[in-house]
């Protein structure tokens, strides 16, 4: 499949402007501090409008200079979220897709890097001949054109601006939305400012001053918010709402309290209780029904009252930063919901795991997952955990790197290929048994940004396999983000020794899924199913992995029951035996 060039393309401003006039715009900005939930506010507002029958899309404007987050470390930026059309984007796009049915594409994600890239390309082509290229109007025009482009086909477009008001890099974006608001008419646009109202324990009070300051900052650049979503640890009472309203020139009923909640999936319901969607549709003169929130209500009920708990170990190297495995974490939670189970997810540091301590470290886990990853650090620990899962019949789910390593572990320990490895570990000149090797088109690629195999590709599933039961289909489509692949040279040997390639991309002859038919649940996939799981539509692979883990839990409980009848020492050793 030929992909659209990832380099920023220029969008004709005037043409898109007239076309997009019928859309309503909701801008979401942030104040006081970052990480207060602008993305979740945008996504939740999107879900509420959708629940009222409004066709919504959401876009993110990121002020950093990188063209996209694809080359940023997960330590710095969190997860890189991949869209159907292969854009590497900010993790907020994951929230947008999980909370709404809007399909994200590369036009839903814009960065300063892309904007400047497009403007500079145009300048080199000579499109501005004779003119001086400036932030206003050239850069701001390009930003507006992107917003109009993303808005096509929707009634409402929610535009989230990354960072916090006052950030130097974000200035052109704020200026662009100031212009855009007057272009589309103030009656067709809303500015929702998400702010933080800190609780000062010494005074025993919530403080509104930082919110006042950030609104002042907005006003200085010509932007007046219509709504304030105030994030706080404690409830915000009416008196404080009135005070904030007065100081910030916002209607008191447009001051929305967003108190910390137990799960992110409560946010749409909480914002609805505060009247956010009611007032937004009124302010935008949208004629809608009352929202149907039954799905969200059921979800929250299950999350708060699970029938059982199951333990999953995720073995990776970004254990301190849950943001790095955002979609994966959420997809596991969804799989739990589908089984009415709460998941205790433990992130196990692969750098600390060895073949010797794996049994001990993972003995409590009812399921083991090795997620996507890059580089050699922590690989031995991941291989040890896969070996443990394979040998001890613990459900195993390998994703991308977790699939490649499952193949290497199998080659080394079952097929007897002791030096089995991946091209990623040995480099271009590396020799030996490269069970995982370059994809053909990757051999000549030198640029790092946007050059992996990215986005959705089809996969054919073998009849009678475990994954056929999972998907209940023989042709699926999943999203990818990788440079290396399973080396078909080893396929026949693997199948003879008991690892089946049950999913293949026929068009390219690439192995996409391997499984062990003689194991309770050992499935490893080259793609990233976590990007397509939604709380109201859990991905079947996660649902079935959790189900298999619950089964494992039952087996262990059975052993414990039987051994409990025996004498203390004997019972303990029998339990250990079952686990280790
Ligand atoms: N590092 C591996 C590759 O590039 C796997 C990538 C991933 O897990 N996303 O193929």
């Amino acid at each position: 499949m030929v992909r659209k060039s990832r380099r920023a393309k220029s969008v004709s401003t005037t043409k898109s402007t007239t076309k997009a006039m019928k859309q309503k715009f909701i801008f979401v900005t942030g104040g006081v501090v970052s990480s207060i939930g602008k993305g979740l506010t945008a996504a939740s507002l999107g879900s509420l409008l959708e629940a009222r029958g409004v066709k919504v899309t959401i876009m993110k404007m990121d002020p950093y200079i990188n063209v996209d987050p694809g080359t940023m470390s997960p330590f710095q930026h969190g997860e890189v979220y991949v869209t159907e059309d292969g854009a590497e984007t900010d993790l907020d796009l994951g929230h947008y897709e999980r909370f709404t049915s809007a399909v994200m594409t590369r036009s839903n994600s814009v960065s300063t890097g892309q904007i400047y890239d497009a403007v500079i390309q145009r300048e080199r082509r000579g499109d501005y001949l004779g003119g001086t290229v400036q932030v206003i109007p050239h850069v701001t025009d390009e930003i507006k054109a992107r917003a109009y482009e993303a808005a096509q086909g929707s009634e409402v477009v929610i535009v989230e601006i990354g960072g916090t008001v006052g950030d130097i890099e974000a200035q052109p974006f704020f200026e662009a939305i100031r212009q855009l608001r007057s272009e589309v008419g103030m009656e067709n646009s809303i500015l929702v400012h998400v702010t933080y109202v800190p609780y000062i324990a010494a005074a025993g009070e919530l403080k509104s001053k930082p919110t006042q300051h950030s609104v002042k900052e907005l006003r200085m650049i010509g932007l007046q918010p219509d709504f304030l979503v105030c994030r706080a640890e404690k409830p915000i009472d009416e008196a404080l709402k009135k005070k904030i309203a007065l100081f910030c020139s916002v209607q008191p009923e447009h001051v929305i309290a967003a108190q910390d909640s137990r799960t992110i999936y409560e946010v749409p319901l909480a914002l609805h209780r505060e009247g956010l969607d009611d007032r937004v549709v009124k302010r935008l003169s949208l004629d809608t029904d009352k929202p149907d929130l039954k799905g969200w209500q059921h979800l929250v009920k299950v999350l708060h009252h699970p029938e059982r708990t199951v333990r999953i170990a995720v073995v990776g190297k970004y254990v301190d930063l849950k943001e790095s495995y955002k979609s994966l974490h959420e997809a596991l939670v969804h799989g739990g919901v589908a089984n009415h189970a709460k998941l205790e997810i433990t992130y196990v540091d692969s750098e600390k795991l060895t073949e010797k301590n794996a049994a001990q470290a993972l003995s409590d886990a009812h399921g083991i997952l090795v997620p996507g990853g890059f580089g050699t650090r922590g690989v031995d620990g991941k291989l040890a955990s896969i070996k443990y899962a394979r040998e001890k019949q613990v459900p195993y789910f390998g994703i991308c790197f977790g699939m490649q390593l499952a193949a290497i572990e199998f080659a080394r320990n079952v097929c007897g290929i002791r030096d089995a490895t991946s091209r990623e570990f040995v480099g271009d000149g590396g020799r030996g048994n490269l069970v995982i090797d370059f994809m053909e088109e990757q051999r000549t690629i030198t640029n790092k940004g946007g050059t992996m195999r990215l986005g959705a590709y089809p996969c054919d599933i073998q009849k009678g396999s475990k994954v056929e039961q999972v998907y209940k289909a023989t042709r699926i489509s999943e999203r990818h983000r990788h440079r290396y692949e399973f080396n078909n040279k080893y396929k026949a040997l693997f199948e003879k020794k008991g690892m089946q390639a049950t999913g293949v991309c026929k068009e390219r002859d690439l192995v996409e899924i391997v499984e062990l038919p003689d194991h309770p649940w050992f499935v490893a996939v080259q793609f990233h199913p976590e990007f397509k799981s939604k709380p109201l539509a859990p991905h079947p692979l996660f649902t079935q992995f959790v189900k298999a883990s619950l089964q494992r839990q039952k087996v262990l409980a059975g052993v414990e029951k039987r051994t409990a009848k025996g004498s203390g020492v004997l019972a303990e050793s029998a339990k250990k035996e079952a686990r280790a």
Side-chain angles (χ1 to χ4, degrees):
M1 194 189 295
V2 180
R3 303 231 155 246
K4 254 199 260 173
S5 156
R6 65 183 304 287
R7 283 177 69 86
K9 60 188 179 328
S10 312
V11 184
S12 154
T13 317
T14 30
K15 205 172 97 214
S16 341
T17 308
T18 38
K19 254 203 227 159
M21 289 304 277
K22 52 188 181 312
Q23 274 96 21
K24 315 256 181 189
F25 284 80
I26 300 176
F27 299 101
V28 178
T29 59
V32 184
V33 283
S34 59
S35 308
I36 45 169
K38 281 192 311 293
L40 276 173
T41 303
S44 301
L45 182 53
S47 72
L48 291 172
L49 293 176
E50 227 180 42
R52 288 172 168 268
V54 178
K55 184 146 180 21
V56 174
T57 192
I58 314 182
M59 110 182 261
K60 176 90 192 265
M61 292 182 168
D62 272 309
Y64 48 69
I65 317 284
N66 301 60
V67 169
D68 61 40
T71 52
M72 288 187 219
S73 154
F75 286 109
Q76 288 232 345
H77 188 268
E79 165 186 277
V80 174
Y81 186 77
V82 180
T83 58
E84 283 288 291
D85 65 345
E88 294 177 288
T89 70
D90 187 84
L91 56 77
D92 277 319
L93 271 84
H95 289 313
Y96 307 163
E97 284 203 330
R98 285 189 282 276
F99 278 68
T100 71
S101 60
V103 178
M104 297 293 117
T105 66
R106 60 185 68 243
S107 33
N108 295 76
S109 172
V110 164
S111 69
T112 297
Q114 285 174 30
I115 298 291
Y116 275 86
D117 192 19
V119 170
I120 291 167
Q121 278 184 56
R122 204 180 284 149
E123 187 274 335
R124 293 289 84 184
R125 271 204 314 268
D127 291 7
Y128 307 112
L129 268 193
T132 307
V133 183
Q134 294 181 299
V135 172
I136 307 172
H138 303 103
V139 167
T140 47
D141 275 357
E142 186 65 32
I143 295 172
K144 285 187 288 176
R146 299 302 179 101
Y148 287 126
E149 191 198 35
Q152 299 303 315
S154 309
E155 285 171 75
V156 171
V157 55
I158 301 173
V159 183
E160 179 195 344
I161 318 290
T164 309
V165 60
D167 291 352
I168 194 162
E169 288 159 347
Q171 298 284 4
F173 290 99
F174 284 103
E175 169 57 18
I177 65 173
R178 188 193 65 75
Q179 295 174 17
L180 218 148
R181 293 199 75 186
S182 41
E183 280 175 22
V184 299
M186 294 309 258
E187 69 285 7
N188 291 321
S189 87
I190 287 184
L191 177 59
V192 177
H193 189 55
V194 184
T195 165
Y196 182 55
V197 180
Y199 177 74
I200 305 297
E205 254 185 333
L206 287 167
K207 293 289 186 188
S208 66
K209 193 69 84 187
T211 297
Q212 295 174 36
H213 277 294
S214 78
V215 170
K216 192 170 144 202
E217 191 94 28
L218 271 177
R219 286 217 199 103
M220 272 159 48
I221 49 176
L223 290 168
Q224 166 64 41
D226 303 286
F227 284 81
L228 292 173
V229 171
C230 303
R231 183 74 191 274
E233 282 167 53
K234 308 259 177 199
I236 299 181
D237 62 19
E238 288 307 310
L240 185 57
K241 282 189 183 173
K242 275 203 183 120
K243 181 179 173 189
I244 294 173
L246 180 69
F247 279 97
C248 301
S249 303
V250 170
Q251 291 177 38
E253 64 274 21
H254 285 191
V255 178
I256 306 291
Q259 206 190 321
D260 294 356
S261 53
R262 270 156 75 193
T263 96
I264 57 170
Y265 299 119
E266 278 174 74
V267 179
L269 299 174
L271 293 178
H272 174 67
R273 276 195 302 275
E274 281 285 302
L276 178 64
D277 52 315
D278 265 336
R279 280 153 202 158
V280 163
V281 294
K282 200 160 147 216
R283 165 68 176 71
L284 285 176
S285 310
L286 287 166
D287 183 18
T288 75
D289 308 325
K290 285 269 162 232
D292 176 1
L293 297 171
K294 279 198 251 359
W296 291 99
Q297 283 154 351
H298 175 74
L299 170 72
V300 170
K301 205 164 125 199
V302 175
L303 282 166
H304 286 175
H305 306 286
E307 288 166 14
R308 36 195 164 258
T309 303
V310 65
R311 283 191 296 272
I312 305 292
V314 175
V315 183
K317 66 178 177 188
Y318 309 119
V319 282
D320 295 331
L321 290 161
K322 279 204 196 129
E323 298 288 281
S324 311
Y325 299 122
K326 191 85 204 157
S327 296
L328 178 86
H329 187 94
E330 295 309 320
L332 281 167
V333 171
H334 308 160
V337 168
N339 286 284
H340 287 263
K342 177 178 170 353
L343 298 199
E344 268 174 26
I345 305 170
T346 320
Y347 290 89
V348 181
D349 187 350
S350 51
E351 284 190 85
K352 298 203 176 105
L353 275 188
T354 61
E355 271 200 35
K356 280 215 178 81
N357 69 16
Q360 164 85 37
L362 300 168
S363 66
D364 270 353
H366 303 123
I368 295 173
L369 191 153
V370 175
F374 295 84
T376 50
R377 201 148 53 81
V379 158
D380 290 341
K382 291 180 189 177
L383 288 169
S385 67
I386 298 170
K387 182 168 187 267
Y388 171 78
R390 181 178 56 75
E391 289 180 347
K392 303 299 171 200
Q393 311 281 295
V394 184
Y396 175 73
F397 190 7
I399 294 181
C400 204
F401 205 38
M403 177 265 197
Q404 298 176 355
L405 294 178
I408 292 173
E409 191 281 323
F410 190 80
R412 288 186 188 172
N413 299 320
V414 178
C415 305
I417 310 172
R418 296 306 305 170
D419 67 344
T421 188
S422 165
R423 172 72 67 190
E424 188 168 359
F425 311 148
V426 296
D428 288 359
R431 310 220 166 274
N433 281 293
L434 292 158
V435 170
I436 305 295
D437 203 351
F438 273 132
M439 276 179 278
E440 209 37 55
E441 73 270 21
Q442 291 287 335
R443 282 182 201 279
T444 49
I445 286 175
T446 49
N447 266 5
K448 288 267 186 288
T451 53
M452 284 188 257
R453 181 178 183 229
L454 291 164
Y457 286 92
C459 168
D460 285 287
I461 288 190
Q462 201 177 81
K463 286 217 171 78
S465 62
K466 211 162 268 163
V467 279
E468 194 210 351
Q469 287 165 27
V470 170
Y471 280 98
K472 300 192 172 29
T474 48
R475 192 163 164 91
I476 57 157
S477 167
E478 293 282 5
R479 295 182 203 169
H480 297 251
R481 182 173 187 250
H482 62 116
R483 227 177 267 292
Y484 306 93
E485 59 155 327
F486 181 84
N487 186 343
N488 283 329
K489 207 169 96 185
Y490 298 91
K491 201 164 149 189
L493 176 66
F494 267 51
E495 303 216 318
K496 201 169 117 208
K497 295 281 185 184
M499 182 174 267
Q500 307 295 321
T502 52
V504 173
C505 179
K506 273 199 194 133
E507 288 78 356
R508 307 268 311 275
D509 198 17
L510 298 176
V511 171
E512 306 280 28
I513 307 175
V514 293
E515 59 181 79
L516 295 176
D518 292 337
H519 186 286
W521 211 89
F522 192 107
V523 176
V525 299
Q526 182 60 80
F527 45 78
H528 289 271
E530 69 271 28
F531 293 142
K532 284 177 71 169
S533 186
K534 296 181 184 229
L536 303 184
H539 192 291
L541 275 171
F542 286 89
T543 303
Q544 295 307 321
F545 170 59
V546 173
K547 195 171 171 194
S549 306
L550 282 162
Q551 199 54 40
R552 165 79 183 169
Q553 187 181 38
K554 264 195 204 150
V555 171
L556 281 185
V559 173
E560 289 193 7
K561 220 182 194 170
R562 280 198 304 281
T563 52
K565 288 182 193 143
S567 77
V569 178
L570 274 180
E572 270 314 304
S573 65
K575 262 190 254 172
K576 265 198 195 136
E577 180 89 337
R579 284 183 166 140

